[in-house]
């Protein structure tokens, strides 16, 4: 099993970087994941949660994996001036661990409709308009390495309700720029949705703070951080 992760003898690469995007053992193939994490690669993770989960699972030294999170393109994700036509928007990817059933149940409890954009084929440069049409964006995932849709919605100024799925802990702060609820808890999610729909002042505060938060994760800055980590590897 582990031999498939050895650096090929004929490779011209002097360094191999493994950018870990998720704690993959939470899905399937735990032995394969452990072997890949323990291979003789340089490691980098996309969130603090991913890094710590991988270190623990693969029995690596604590805090040994550097972190460079995801980012957003401000040309594609910004508060678009469009009518608020959707009460609750979600990604809606049909995988159990994405928690779409929790989101649907929460919306039923809250008495509001829910719309998803998964599979609609919306072009990237139109996503700001899609997000901005929503009064609330909801993430229902059980776990996420980073959770790109959440930070995109925040960049668009859409108040966020998200599960405490791991990856969002680097940027989503409960009651400050988002409402964070337990995983698999439709009642708590419904309560959070209703709070934002019924409390304009709270929604406005979270929206404004979310935009400021997202500005810390611009692609131009994230790529510089990534380049810096690569340079550190190459100098070793």
């Amino acid at each position: 099993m582990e031999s498939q992760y050895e650096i090929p003898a004929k490779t011209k690469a002097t360094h191999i970087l493994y950018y870990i995007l998720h704690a993959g053992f939470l899905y399937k193939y735990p032995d394969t994941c452990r072997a890949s994490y323990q291979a003789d690669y340089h490691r980098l993770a996309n969130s603090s949660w991913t890094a710590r989960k991988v270190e623990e699972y693969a029995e690596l030294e604590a805090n040994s994996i550097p972190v460079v999170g995801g980012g957003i393109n401000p040309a594609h994700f910004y508060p678009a001036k469009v009518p608020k036509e959707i009460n609750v928007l979600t990604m809606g990817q049909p995988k159990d661990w994405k928690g779409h059933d929790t989101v649907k149940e929460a919306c039923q409890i809250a008495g509001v409709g829910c719309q998803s954009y998964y599979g609609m084929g919306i072009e990237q440069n139109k996503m700001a308009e899609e997000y901005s049409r929503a009064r609330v964006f909801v993430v229902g995932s059980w776990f996420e390495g980073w959770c790109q849709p959440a930070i995109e919605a925040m960049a668009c100024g859409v108040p966020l309700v998200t599960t405490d799925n791991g990856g969002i802990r680097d940027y989503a702060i409960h009651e400050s720029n988002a409402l964070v609820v337990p995983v698999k808890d439709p009642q708590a999610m419904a309560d959070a949705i209703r709070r934002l729909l019924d409390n304009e002042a709270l929604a406005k505060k979270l929206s404004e703070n979310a935009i400021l938060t997202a500005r810390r994760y611009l692609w131009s800055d994230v790529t510089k951080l990534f380049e810096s980590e690569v340079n550190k590897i190459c100098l070793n």
Side-chain angles (χ1 to χ4, degrees), residues 22-31 33-34 37 50 53-54 56-58:
H22 211 304
F25 59 89
L26 294 172
Y27 300 92
K28 51 186 176 180
Y29 309 130
D31 292 335
C33 286
R34 181 179 286 107
Y37 299 150
T50 301
K53 279 289 186 180
V54 168
E56 180 181 358
Y57 183 71

Side-chain angles (χ1 to χ4, degrees), residues 29-108:
Y29 309 130
D31 292 335
T32 302
C33 286
R34 181 179 286 107
S36 70
Y37 299 150
Q38 293 176 338
D40 189 20
Y41 300 156
H42 298 281
R43 304 174 192 88
L44 189 64
N46 69 338
S47 74
S48 300
W49 179 84
T50 301
R52 305 297 85 86
K53 279 289 186 180
V54 168
E55 289 165 356
E56 180 181 358
Y57 183 71
E59 299 180 331
L60 302 173
E61 182 181 349
N63 299 311
S64 62
I65 302 178
V67 174
V68 176
I72 57 101
N73 182 345
H76 290 165
F77 301 100
Y78 56 87
K81 295 181 180 180
V82 295
K84 292 291 185 181
E85 301 171 332
I86 304 170
N87 279 323
V88 174
L89 180 67
T90 188
M91 182 184 180
Q93 188 173 359
K95 294 181 179 179
D96 288 346
W97 62 269
K98 286 292 186 179
H100 187 49
D101 287 345
T102 300
V103 176
K104 288 193 296 184
E105 185 176 349
C107 288
Q108 290 174 352

